[in-house]
């Protein structure tokens, strides 16, 4: 239904214009109001029930070319429409997703010549609001440059915030929890480069003293830079800040064009924030003609052994190498190269024995001798294996065992080089039966001056997902911009890293025990993360005493199991070495059993920074899996099994922290027990400091 319910004919800024009632749209508890402030600039506000979520906040875009949308704007009309539909993701946390919203389109116009027009489209859902700017086709505005976006999120109070510093090139930070007034990134060591003391990244998770949970992020980041947020500590106001391009401007666009959706998820229950599908719903359905080639999967890899200094990516210990002109077979091998044929076969055997689909191999291709830190253009060619990696032999060996090799393309940030070689690289993958690639963007970007999170790179990631889709190849991107739900459009984009993964435990002070209780409320709001769970050998000195002094994973072993459920991804690594798993076959059974694609998900309990308990039902099957994790505090969690099918008996296998376990003192102490449960059962789980528990539930007698 199209309905014009407000038409403003008065000149902007007139007293009568101010007095006009705001446009209001409500769905369930969420109410949106759109109006103009005293200066005639458009504003919006959001309420949840009677509680303010976003106080009156400015909207606007500043253009580099001529008068933009920063000044007063007339509202020339508006329309609403209701949508209530369902759709089925190719893979995901639930089988069916409801997309129910009320849309309000507000038409704006500059009051003076040239009278440029801008629309703002709002969608009000039961769990929040999304809105975006749309620049319609119009005379006198075709090519334009967004200098900055003027969107504000004025918060009503000094909320608790879970934040990482604004860094145009990295999300790989531990979270700080503080009041908004205390946001200050100065003491935090930069991963790449911090932009300003009060700039933070999205998804930003907020908790209000009145019990509301608010998450601010964006959806469908296409042809535009990522949005960061500048915090005004005294007023709790957030202002969007777009990552600049090499020229300093934010986005180069051509009308008709629109920005990504700005998203505000809100609930008075923390689990509902985790269950929200608002961001996915604001993304476009996939246009892929077929998707049956997209396979959620588990994998092992020649990977952790490099991170724990047991092996190397490089074949020789030489530096100052040029890609062109080096005869790799003449280099003296260092004897520690992980990606050698015999070692890869060991992983293939292990994957085949335990029913894991793929084996990632990093360091298989030439160039690692001289790959990082030099801002060098020609580092890798993505098609030439090292002399000790026999790609044909390995591909045949893997195929005979029903396993697939997973490709690795580390670009070292040289994206010009990668784009020139993508076609050849993907043809090489098809020729050798690879189905998925892990990409990486370590270091500074080439073209020089561009940032990981700027418009140019956003277009690169999206182009890469689309191109891989044409080849029917899947992708897992490391060091890419954080996700915004684009896996709905590109379901072959199984996961991204774009946060501080488990690997930081191997070569830094690591991830504090609370880290995994925050990530689902922040980074994972936009999409799955390749966190690389499943580390069993928690104290890393065991691999290399000299180089790993004091290094460890900051969880118990049982918590590593729980992460397969609490940290959703359709591609999950069993990240430790085969020999670590072979010492604990009983605990490894959970990793073998747990699903990666789900019919249903129930967030049973959650509080950011403290704990998460999640239950999920395997896709097309009757078995359920539960993961429960805590921060550094021990905790008891009571599980009510009322999500199980009534009248049916299940065998529960419970993988729990043993008595006396703790992440720092006794992390590998676990116990496994079995018991029968039904939908009427409850179970008390005792989680150790930094601990967790995992449960598999199988129906009996079927
Ligand atoms: C950083 C990635 O996150 C990691 O997984 C990978 O092993 C290294 N880069 C090397 O590409
Ligand atoms: Ca990384």
């Amino acid at each position: 239904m199209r309905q014009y319910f407000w038409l403003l004919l008065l000149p902007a800024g007139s007293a009568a214009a101010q007095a006009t009632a705001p446009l209001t749209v409500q769905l369930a508890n969420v109410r949106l109001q759109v109006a103009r402030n005293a200066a005639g600039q458009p504003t919006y506000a959001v309420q949840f029930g009677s509680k303010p979520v976003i106080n009156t906040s400015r909207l606007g875009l500043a253009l580099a070319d001529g008068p933009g949308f920063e000044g007063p704007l007339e509202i020339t009309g508006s329309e609403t429409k209701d949508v209530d539909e369902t759709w089925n993701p190719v893979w995901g946390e639930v089988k069916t997703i409801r997309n129910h919203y009320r849309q309000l389109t507000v038409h704006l116009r500059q009051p003076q010549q040239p009278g440029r027009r801008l629309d703002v489209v709002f969608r009000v859902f039961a769990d929040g609001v999304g809105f975006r700017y749309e620049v319609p086709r119009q005379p006198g505005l075709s090519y334009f440059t967004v200098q900055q976006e003027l969107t504000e999120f004025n918060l009503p109070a000094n909320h608790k915030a879970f934040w990482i510093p604004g860094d145009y090139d990295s999300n790989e930070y531990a979270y700080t929890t503080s009041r908004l007034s205390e946001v200050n990134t100065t003491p935090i060591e930069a991963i790449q480069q911090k932009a300003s003391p009060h700039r933070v990244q999205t998804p930003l998770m907020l908790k209000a003293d009145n019990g509301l949970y608010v998450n601010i992020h964006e959806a469908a980041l296409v042809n535009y830079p990522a949005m960061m947020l500048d915090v005004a500590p005294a007023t709790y106001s957030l202002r969007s800040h777009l990552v600049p391009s090499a020229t300093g401007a934010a986005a180069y666009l051509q009308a008709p064009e629109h920005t990504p959706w700005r998203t505000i998820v809100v609930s008075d229950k923390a689990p509902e924030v985790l269950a929200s599908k608002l961001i996915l719903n604001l993304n476009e359905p996939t246009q892929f003609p077929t998707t049956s080639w997209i396979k959620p999967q588990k994998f092992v890899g020649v990977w952790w052994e490099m991170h724990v200094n047991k092996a190397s990516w490089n074949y020789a210990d030489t530096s100052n190498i040029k890609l062109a002109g080096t005869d790799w077979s003449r280099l003296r091998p260092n004897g520690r190269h992980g990606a050698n044929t015999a070692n890869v076969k060991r992983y293939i055997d292990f994957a085949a024995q335990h029913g894991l689909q793929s084996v990632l191999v990093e360091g298989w291709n030439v160039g690692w001798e001289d790959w990082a830190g030099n801002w060098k253009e020609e580092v890798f060619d993505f098609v030439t294996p090292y002399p000790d990696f026999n790609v044909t032999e390995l591909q045949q060996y893997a195929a005979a065992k029903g396993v697939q090799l997973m490709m690795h393309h580390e670009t070292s940030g040289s994206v010009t080089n990668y784009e020139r070689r993508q076609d050849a690289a993907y043809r090489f993958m098809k020729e050798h039966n690879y189905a998925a690639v892990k990409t990486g963007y370590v270091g500074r970007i080439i073209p020089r001056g561009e940032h990981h999170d700027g418009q140019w790179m956003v277009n690169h990631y999206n182009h890469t997902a689309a191109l891989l889709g044409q080849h029917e190849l899947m992708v897992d991107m490391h060091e890419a911009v954080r996700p915004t739900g684009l896996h709905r459009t590109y379901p072959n984009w199984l996961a991204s890293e774009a946060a501080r993964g488990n690997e930081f435990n191997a070569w830094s002070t690591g991830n504090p025990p609370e880290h995994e209780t925050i990530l689902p409320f922040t980074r994972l709001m936009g999409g799955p993360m390749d966190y690389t769970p499943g580390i069993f050998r928690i104290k890393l000195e065991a691999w290399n005493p000299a180089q790993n002094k004091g290094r460890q994973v900051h969880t118990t072993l049982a918590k590593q199991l729980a992460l397969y459920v609490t940290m959703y991804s359709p591609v999950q690594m069993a990240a430790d070495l085969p020999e670590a798993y072979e010492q604990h076959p009983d605990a490894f059974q959970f990793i073998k059993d747990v699903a990666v694609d789900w019919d249903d998900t129930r967030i049973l309990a959650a509080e950011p920074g403290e704990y998460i308990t999640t239950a999920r039902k395997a896709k097309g099957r009757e078995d359920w899996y539960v993961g429960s994790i805590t921060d550094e505090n021990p905790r008891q969690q009571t599980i009510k099994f009322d999500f199980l099918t009534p009248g049916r008996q299940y065998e529960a296998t419970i993988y729990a922290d043993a008595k006396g376990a703790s992440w720092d003192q006794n992390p590998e102490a676990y116990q496994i027990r079995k018991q029968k449960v039904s939908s009427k059962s409850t179970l008390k789980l005792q989680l150790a400091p930094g601990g967790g528990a995992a449960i598999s539930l199988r129906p009996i007698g079927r």
Side-chain angles (χ1 to χ4, degrees), residues 654-687:
I654 303 151
Y655 304 77
D657 294 320
K659 222 178 168 63
S662 68
W663 68 271
D664 52 347
Q665 301 301 321
N666 192 13
E668 291 174 20
Y670 63 89
Q671 53 173 18
I672 300 174
R673 59 181 203 277
K674 289 186 194 283
Q675 73 182 63
K676 289 199 176 91
V677 299
S678 73
S679 63
K680 296 206 172 83
S681 311
T682 58
L683 177 74
K684 282 194 174 37
L685 289 175
Q686 201 61 50
L687 311 182

Side-chain angles (χ1 to χ4, degrees), residues 172 442 478-479 497 499 503-504 507:
E172 300 191 2
V442 169
H478 278 229
E479 295 87 33
E497 183 194 40
E503 65 187 29
F504 267 77
W507 27 260

Side-chain angles (χ1 to χ4, degrees), residues 318-382:
T318 328
S319 58
N320 192 17
I321 286 226
K322 289 199 172 185
L323 181 63
T326 299
D327 181 353
W328 308 90
S329 65
R330 293 176 73 99
L331 296 181
R332 192 153 56 91
N334 64 11
R336 303 177 66 235
H337 182 222
N340 67 77
T341 302
N343 195 34
V344 175
K345 282 187 178 170
R346 194 167 74 93
Y347 280 81
I348 294 171
D349 292 344
F350 182 79
Q353 186 188 345
H354 297 291
L356 306 172
Q357 287 76 17
S358 302
V359 176
L360 166 74
V361 187
E362 296 199 1
W364 69 277
N365 59 323
V366 298
W368 289 88
E369 284 70 19
D370 192 11
W371 77 282
N374 299 319
W375 219 3
K376 175 176 146 177
E377 184 140 4
E378 294 268 300
V379 179
F380 297 109
D381 70 5
F382 313 99

Side-chain angles (χ1 to χ4, degrees), residues 279-556:
I279 289 173
L280 263 184
N281 276 327
L282 289 170
N283 277 270
E284 297 301 319
T286 186
Q287 299 299 319
F288 288 175
T290 64
T291 54
S292 53
W293 50 275
I294 298 170
K295 305 253 192 272
Q297 57 184 287
K298 287 177 275 190
F299 68 107
V300 286
V302 179
W303 179 76
W304 190 240
E305 59 179 278
M306 280 85 92
H307 287 274
V308 296
N309 297 305
K310 186 176 176 288
S312 68
W313 281 270
N314 43 303
Y315 169 78
D317 286 340
T318 328
S319 58
N320 192 17
I321 286 226
K322 289 199 172 185
L323 181 63
T326 299
D327 181 353
W328 308 90
S329 65
R330 293 176 73 99
L331 296 181
R332 192 153 56 91
N334 64 11
R336 303 177 66 235
H337 182 222
N340 67 77
T341 302
N343 195 34
V344 175
K345 282 187 178 170
R346 194 167 74 93
Y347 280 81
I348 294 171
D349 292 344
F350 182 79
Q353 186 188 345
H354 297 291
L356 306 172
Q357 287 76 17
S358 302
V359 176
L360 166 74
V361 187
E362 296 199 1
W364 69 277
N365 59 323
V366 298
W368 289 88
E369 284 70 19
D370 192 11
W371 77 282
N374 299 319
W375 219 3
K376 175 176 146 177
E377 184 140 4
E378 294 268 300
V379 179
F380 297 109
D381 70 5
F382 313 99
V383 293
T384 309
Y386 277 123
D388 61 346
F389 181 88
N390 189 328
V391 65
T392 308
E393 182 183 336
L394 283 167
Q395 186 257 307
Q396 285 167 359
Y397 188 83
K401 299 204 166 203
V403 171
Q404 249 165 337
L405 294 179
M406 191 185 287
M407 178 49 81
H408 184 229
H409 291 162
E410 173 56 65
T411 67
S412 70
S414 178
V415 188
T416 43
N417 177 54
Y418 188 44
E419 288 200 346
R420 284 176 209 127
R421 298 177 188 272
Q422 269 176 311
D423 271 335
Y426 300 159
R427 269 188 275 114
F428 181 92
M429 283 179 64
K430 292 304 264 191
E431 275 161 28
H432 294 95
N433 202 28
Y434 286 83
V437 57
K438 169 179 168 180
T439 58
Y441 299 89
V442 169
R444 285 178 292 174
I445 297 297
I446 305 178
R448 295 185 182 86
E450 295 297 345
H451 293 291
H452 284 74
D453 292 358
Q455 183 190 22
W456 196 91
M457 283 301 290
V458 163
N459 288 344
H460 167 77
Y461 308 126
N462 296 350
H463 162 76
T464 296
L467 186 62
L468 284 162
Q470 286 166 20
H471 288 274
E472 301 197 343
L473 293 168
M474 296 170 274
V475 62
D476 165 15
M477 295 190 197
H478 278 229
E479 295 87 33
V481 70
R482 77 281 184 277
T484 57
L486 281 166
H487 51 292
R488 180 174 181 192
T489 313
Y490 303 115
N492 63 328
W493 193 343
L494 296 182
S496 300
E497 183 194 40
R500 193 177 176 100
N502 229 353
E503 65 187 29
F504 267 77
N505 288 307
W507 27 260
S508 76
T509 50
N511 303 340
E514 66 172 12
H515 191 56
E516 297 90 353
T517 69
I518 300 175
L519 279 171
F521 284 98
T522 51
R523 156 67 182 77
L524 274 81
M525 290 296 291
M529 175 172 179
D530 181 19
Y531 188 69
T532 64
I535 301 300
F536 276 16
R537 195 166 290 180
I538 302 289
K539 303 271 188 181
L540 303 177
E541 279 176 38
W543 299 116
N544 184 329
Q547 283 181 276
N548 299 344
K549 218 156 193 41
R551 301 263 158 88
Q552 74 159 103
V553 172
H554 295 68
T555 73
T556 63

Side-chain angles (χ1 to χ4, degrees), residues 258-278:
H258 56 75
T259 69
W261 297 94
R262 278 63 191 94
T263 61
I264 302 154
V265 173
V266 56
S267 178
D268 51 7
K269 296 179 192 70
E272 288 187 3
V273 173
L274 298 184
S276 175
K277 296 291 172 278
L278 183 148

Side-chain angles (χ1 to χ4, degrees), residues 160-178:
K160 183 160 69 155
F162 300 83
W163 55 268
I164 56 173
D167 182 326
Y168 299 154
D169 291 282
S170 181
N171 302 265
E172 300 191 2
Y173 288 88
Y175 288 87
T176 303
T177 306
S178 79

